[in-house]
Amino acid sequence: MDVGFLKPLFDRPGPWAGVYMDTSRSTEDAPRRRRLRERFVADQLTGQGADRATCDAVVERLAGEQWARTSAGRALFATDGEVVLDLPLATSPIDVVTSWSMLPRVAPLAAFRGEWPACLVAFVDQAGADLELRDDTGARPAGRAGGRRAHGRGHRSVPADRHEWHYRNRVGNTWEQTADRVADELMRQWTDNDADLLILAGDPRERRAVRDRLPEPLRARTEETRHGSRAAGCSERLNAEIDHARAEYARAHLETVLDLFRAGRGRPGGPLSGHDGTGPPSSGAAEGVPAVVEAMRRHQAATLLLGHAGGDMRHEVWIGPDADQVAVQRSQARAMGVRTPEPARADDALMRSATVADTEVLVVPEGLQGPAGGLGAVLRWHA
């Protein structure tokens, strides 16, 4: 998961109020349920030490909630009397969960938001292609790659005469030029947007012609769908195909990262260099609080791995105002120049470091072998 959307939370100091809740249910007593929930959230935050202005801002935002929401859940983060981030969740929290802490309680987002890679969708036909970008914020238009549609008598299986042959040849040449333009625009959009996957929808002949014109690295990230065209709009079947392609990409990517982690970690049960915190990790992976903290502090981690459960994530670390100021011991934080180190959960502190350093964050689902204790990292480079 790309956690860049969390950067507004780390542009200002805490403490922060956090709220996770289910928004999927719609019942006849919904107004009463909302009022009870607002009162519960206010009581919880007040009991945890939140100031009145921040509590009021959270309750006001909840009171203005729409009757029906398309997301399964919702997460709010507020400080100093202002709701800074209000995010939809892909998975419903079981209970309303509140927090009041120096760092925003962001680690659960990695599981609740889900891993939905951004994708560029092209709806292709003989006139060109309409482009759409889909990411975890939804879908939005991304421009158009146009050509010139040839008008005329249409096609017959066998040219009837010389004039018919010239017409069909002209139509073919027009589409060849259009496919070139579409491919060029897709390559430009791919460079400009942080998409992980390209999906070609629409007429089979046209979309294959476009795919054949793409460079091999982009073709390797490209999927074709059986449904969808510009004329027919985006059907439910097409949406299902796109969701499936994104889920398959996320699954394959996680498996690749876990393979790198296991290879870098060495044999299961073997020693991991740097695990005791006495020095930087010297393998291609880090595991455990000291090693992962050191890797993140040195901007050495390409991917931060969080398990579904594990004591390491709840481990207390010490932080300063900067994202790189995180240490296992208070004395280490002071040695970094932090005058008044503050305690924080390891997973939240490392999520802050990952956000500022543009480090990917992935959740290891139950049933898959991940880092012992719940915290690990795949390294960009190692000593």
Side-chain angles (χ1 to χ4, degrees), residues 112-137:
F112 285 135
R113 290 274 285 183
E115 176 60 19
W116 284 100
C119 67
L120 184 63
V121 183
F123 301 90
V124 184
D125 63 18
Q126 287 189 0
D130 288 329
L131 309 183
E132 181 180 271
L133 185 66
R134 298 192 182 196
D135 56 20
D136 53 12
T137 65

Side-chain angles (χ1 to χ4, degrees), residues 1 3 5-6 10 104 106-110 296 304 306 346-356 359 361:
M1 180 175 72
V3 290
F5 64 91
L6 294 176
F10 304 117
V106 293
L109 283 172
M296 294 298 297
L304 174 66
L306 302 179
D347 53 2
D348 289 329
L350 293 171
M351 281 279 284
R352 178 181 70 159
S353 298
T355 300
V356 174
T359 299
V361 177

Side-chain angles (χ1 to χ4, degrees), residues 12-185:
R12 61 180 78 187
W16 287 85
V19 180
Y20 290 84
M21 65 182 64
D22 174 22
T23 58
S24 63
R25 286 173 287 185
S26 178
T27 61
E28 293 181 359
D29 62 341
R32 178 175 175 273
R33 286 171 56 87
R34 285 200 296 271
R35 286 193 296 271
L36 291 174
R37 185 174 61 189
E38 292 159 15
R39 185 183 310 165
F40 174 80
V41 168
D43 290 345
Q44 289 290 305
L45 290 176
T46 300
Q48 293 164 358
D51 61 275
R52 178 67 178 271
T54 300
C55 286
D56 288 346
V58 170
V59 171
E60 182 179 354
R61 178 64 64 90
L62 294 178
E65 177 186 344
Q66 297 295 319
W67 175 271
R69 296 180 63 91
T70 57
S71 63
R74 184 180 184 188
L76 285 79
F77 301 95
T79 188
D80 196 25
E82 178 186 358
V83 175
V84 178
L85 214 53
D86 184 351
L87 299 169
L89 302 177
T91 303
S92 300
I94 297 176
D95 300 309
V96 176
V97 179
T98 62
S99 61
W100 177 252
S101 52
M102 186 56 61
L103 285 183
R105 182 77 182 97
V106 293
L109 283 172
F112 285 135
R113 290 274 285 183
E115 176 60 19
W116 284 100
C119 67
L120 184 63
V121 183
F123 301 90
V124 184
D125 63 18
Q126 287 189 0
D130 288 329
L131 309 183
E132 181 180 271
L133 185 66
R134 298 192 182 196
D135 56 20
D136 53 12
T137 65
R140 58 187 182 276
R144 175 177 298 173
R148 181 169 54 85
R149 184 185 293 275
H151 297 282
R153 293 169 288 174
H155 300 289
R156 291 202 290 264
S157 59
V158 179
D161 54 29
R162 180 166 54 90
H163 297 292
E164 179 76 7
W165 183 89
H166 281 300
Y167 165 74
R168 291 183 59 174
N169 189 55
R170 185 171 67 254
V171 170
N173 289 339
T174 299
W175 166 242
E176 294 292 323
Q177 295 169 4
T178 300
D180 288 336
R181 293 185 186 127
V182 172
D184 288 344
E185 180 64 14

